[in-house]
């Protein structure tokens, strides 16, 4: 039997996404999600060969949730036998990982060493690796890091202007995230433009619940908007993105907040949710805007303006732009957000084609700008496929 499938695991702090992916045909016949791990309402939903199923798993703990997934896969004997490798999304690889890596004891220790940089995420990723190693001991396991793609950023882009010792002794610097997505859509765009990636300059905008932009020169990340943590940069669903760093002290001194409350507010109560007072979800923001809600309209406007400012600033490290790429749930689906971002970018030569934008560039080779404009493209991301392709490339 042909062994050509990769089990892709994305273990978050209270959720696990999984998919069985064929990295060559790009088929994904089995995928699902466990949500609310540890809570009463925990449950799993999955899709196998087009059939959707779900089951409540009240108060399920992390190892049991993972074992439930692995048992489901093992129940399909043919599928289980075709598994070739397991690919894990790992959030933080620090400076140690500049690319994906086959997991051995040293690599696992190095991922543990990065735990301090991602205390919510890396422990969950490690739990996923350990459970998969136990359940599928014969399969090689590969770690694909959110941060690795951005390890090509130069020092002038990744350092904060704070005492240098914080970098050398405590690894405090900008790392960036969403690297797998930025790398995937950049490769797709190079293919679409029939140009080697190593000769392409792109600005990629990954706009989901979390949002980041990346400047890519000759196929390599040279700057990105997220920093030490995913809070820096763009306005997001519930994250503020950039703020004056003195806001913390101001809120502590003048409103009596403690530092945890400030941090929670900036990560969970800000962004689209904070400004609109309605929702963190862009569909809800768009609907409310269309119904005349001024706060929602303001949230969308701030989102687009901040995004456009970042895109504009990335002309600096790139010098030339082969294309601006929109991806992620918002980037792929919201013609409204794309239009309201591109309207700020005429100085960089962008001119929207409203018709192509409405249909997400699908009839026009992904291009949503007019002829003669600097190109903007809409490209669906596929992080699972990228992880599966890395897993096969490293273990074949
Ligand atoms: P995640 O970052 O959790 O992977 P997604 O990439 O799925 O999230 O993006 C979620 C965001 O995409 C939400 O804000 C959602 O409202 C937005 N989105 C999805 N579909 C649409 C749509 N048709 N129009 C506008 N926004 C959309």
């Amino acid at each position: 039997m042909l062994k050509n499938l990769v089990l892709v695991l994305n273990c978050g702090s209270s959720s696990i996404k999984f998919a069985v992916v064929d990295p060559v045909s790009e088929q994904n016949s089995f995928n699902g999600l466990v949500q609310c791990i540890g809570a009463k309402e925990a449950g799993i939903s999955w899709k196998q060969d087009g059939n959707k199923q779900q089951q409540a798993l009240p108060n399920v703990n992390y190892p049991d949730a993972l074992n439930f997934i692995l048992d489901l896969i093992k129940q399909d004997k043919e599928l289980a036998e075709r598994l070739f490798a397991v690919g894990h999304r790992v959030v933080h690889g620090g400076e140690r990982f500049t690319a994906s890596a086959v997991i051995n004891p040293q690599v696992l220790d190095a991922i543990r060493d990065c735990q301090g940089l991602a205390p919510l995420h890396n422990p969950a990723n490690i739990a996923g690796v350990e459970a998969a190693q136990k359940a599928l001991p014969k399969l090689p396991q590969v770690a694909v890091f959110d941060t690795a793609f951005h390890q090509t950023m130069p020092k002038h882009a990744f350092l904060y202007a704070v005492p240098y010792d914080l970098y050398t002794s405590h690894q405090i610097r900008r790392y960036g995230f969403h690297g797998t997505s930025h790398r995937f859509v950049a490769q797709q765009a190079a293919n679409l433009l029939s140009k080697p990636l190593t000769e392409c300059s792109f600005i990629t905008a990954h706009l989901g619940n979390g949002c980041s932009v990346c400047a890519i020169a000759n196929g390599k990340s040279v700057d990105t908007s997220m920093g030490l943590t995913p809070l820096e940069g763009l306005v997001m669903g519930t994250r503020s993105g950039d703020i004056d760093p003195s806001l913390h002290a101001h809120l502590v001194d003048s409103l009596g907040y403690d530092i945890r409350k400030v941090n929670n507010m900036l990560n969970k109560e800000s962004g689209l949710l904070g400004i609109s007072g309605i929702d963190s979800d862009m569909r809800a923001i768009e609907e409310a805007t269309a119904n005349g809600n001024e706060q929602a309209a303001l949230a969308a406007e701030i989102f687009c303006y901040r995004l456009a400012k970042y895109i504009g600033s990335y002309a600096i490290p790139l010098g030339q732009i082969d294309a601006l790429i929109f991806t992620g749930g918002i980037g792929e689906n919201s013609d409204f957000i794309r239009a309201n971002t591109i309207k700020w970018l005429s100085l960089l030569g962008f001119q929207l084609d409203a018709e192509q934008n409405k249909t997400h560039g699908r009839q026009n080779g992904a291009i949503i700008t007019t002829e003669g404009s600097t190109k903007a493209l809409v490209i669906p991301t596929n992080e699972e496929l990228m992880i599966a392709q890395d897993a096969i490339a490293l273990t074949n």
Side-chain angles (χ1 to χ4, degrees):
M1 183 165 310
L2 190 59
K3 284 188 176 286
N4 61 347
L5 300 179
V6 178
L7 168 62
V8 177
L9 287 176
N10 179 351
C11 297
S13 49
S14 63
S15 70
I16 304 173
K17 270 194 203 163
F18 61 97
V20 176
V21 181
D22 179 335
V24 177
S25 73
E26 306 185 1
Q27 298 278 321
N28 161 348
S29 57
F30 190 9
N31 59 59
L33 173 68
V34 184
Q35 280 175 300
C36 306
I37 293 173
K40 224 173 45 225
E41 57 276 17
I44 181 169
S45 55
W46 73 98
K47 199 164 134 189
Q48 188 167 14
D49 300 321
N51 299 321
K52 283 189 183 164
Q53 297 184 64
Q54 58 183 41
Q55 187 173 323
L57 300 172
N59 303 314
V60 71
N61 65 22
Y62 211 87
D64 287 348
L66 258 168
N67 285 328
F68 191 95
I69 295 170
L70 296 168
D71 282 347
L72 264 186
I73 289 166
K74 283 182 171 170
Q75 277 166 28
D76 185 332
K77 282 214 160 43
E78 191 193 323
L79 187 86
E81 276 179 28
R82 287 177 60 201
L83 285 180
F84 184 85
V86 184
H88 296 268
R89 175 194 179 212
V90 178
V91 168
H92 220 302
E95 290 193 334
R96 166 73 168 71
F97 294 101
T98 57
S100 303
V102 177
I103 298 175
N104 58 28
Q106 292 76 31
V107 165
L108 202 53
D109 279 346
I111 297 173
R112 270 193 203 100
D113 289 344
C114 298
Q115 240 161 230
L117 293 167
L120 286 182
H121 292 100
N122 274 31
N125 303 151
I126 291 165
V129 172
E130 288 174 337
Q133 281 176 331
K134 223 166 151 187
L136 303 163
K138 293 199 183 118
L139 298 189
Q141 318 259 335
V142 170
V144 179
F145 301 91
D146 271 22
T147 50
F149 181 60
H150 303 301
Q151 279 297 304
T152 46
M153 282 196 288
K155 265 191 176 158
H156 60 250
F158 76 65
L159 281 179
Y160 292 114
V162 296
Y164 198 66
D165 176 56
L166 286 173
Y167 168 55
T168 50
S169 303
H170 302 285
Q171 301 91 45
I172 291 180
R173 50 158 285 180
R174 307 181 63 252
Y175 290 94
F177 298 88
H178 291 147
T180 311
S181 176
H182 290 295
R183 179 160 64 102
F184 179 80
V185 295
Q187 181 60 65
Q188 298 291 309
N191 295 349
L192 281 167
L193 301 179
S194 306
K195 199 172 167 182
L197 179 59
T198 50
E199 292 171 20
C200 287
S201 293
F202 293 134
I203 299 171
T204 48
H206 177 104
L207 310 174
N209 286 309
C211 302
S212 69
V213 209
C214 181
I216 298 175
N218 301 322
K220 294 197 160 107
S221 169
V222 291
D223 207 344
T224 191
S225 58
M226 285 179 166
L228 174 70
T229 75
L231 182 58
E232 189 177 339
L234 301 178
V235 175
M236 311 182 208
T238 61
R239 295 189 193 120
S240 62
D242 296 339
I243 46 139
D244 182 337
S246 292
L247 182 64
H248 291 70
H250 182 78
L251 292 175
V252 170
D253 291 345
S254 65
L255 295 182
Y257 280 36
D258 68 37
I259 201 73
R260 282 186 200 291
K261 182 168 170 179
V262 179
N263 199 43
N264 191 59
M265 182 269 285
L266 294 175
N267 278 286
K268 306 251 170 79
E269 298 166 2
S270 297
L272 296 173
L273 174 65
I275 303 163
S276 71
I278 299 176
D279 211 305
S280 63
D281 192 285
M282 189 57 91
R283 282 166 293 204
I285 297 293
E286 281 189 33
E287 199 181 313
T289 301
N291 290 333
N293 184 305
E294 286 179 17
Q295 291 295 113
L298 183 61
E301 193 57 21
I302 296 172
F303 181 96
C304 295
Y305 179 65
R306 176 87 57 88
L307 172 59
K309 274 211 298 189
Y310 260 97
I311 292 167
S313 73
Y314 285 171
I316 303 292
L318 295 186
Q320 56 133 29
I321 302 169
D322 288 305
L324 163 65
I325 298 151
F326 288 95
T327 193
I330 299 170
E332 291 164 29
N333 296 301
S334 177
D335 54 312
F336 171 76
I337 291 298
R338 292 191 303 257
N340 281 296
T341 303
I342 288 180
K343 78 175 185 201
W344 295 106
L345 296 172
S346 56
L347 196 62
L348 294 181
F350 286 99
Q351 191 94 54
L352 190 73
D353 182 326
E355 284 310 303
Q356 301 298 352
N357 185 42
K358 276 246 168 316
T359 50
H360 316 293
R362 280 180 202 141
Q363 272 83 52
N364 198 35
I367 299 171
I368 56 164
T369 37
T370 57
E371 271 199 50
S373 161
T374 311
K375 287 190 177 68
L377 312 180
V378 178
I379 300 184
T381 194
N382 193 340
E383 290 161 280
E384 284 87 10
L385 178 59
M386 185 88 267
I387 291 171
Q389 289 176 342
D390 277 9
I392 286 287
L394 285 172
T395 57
N396 226 342

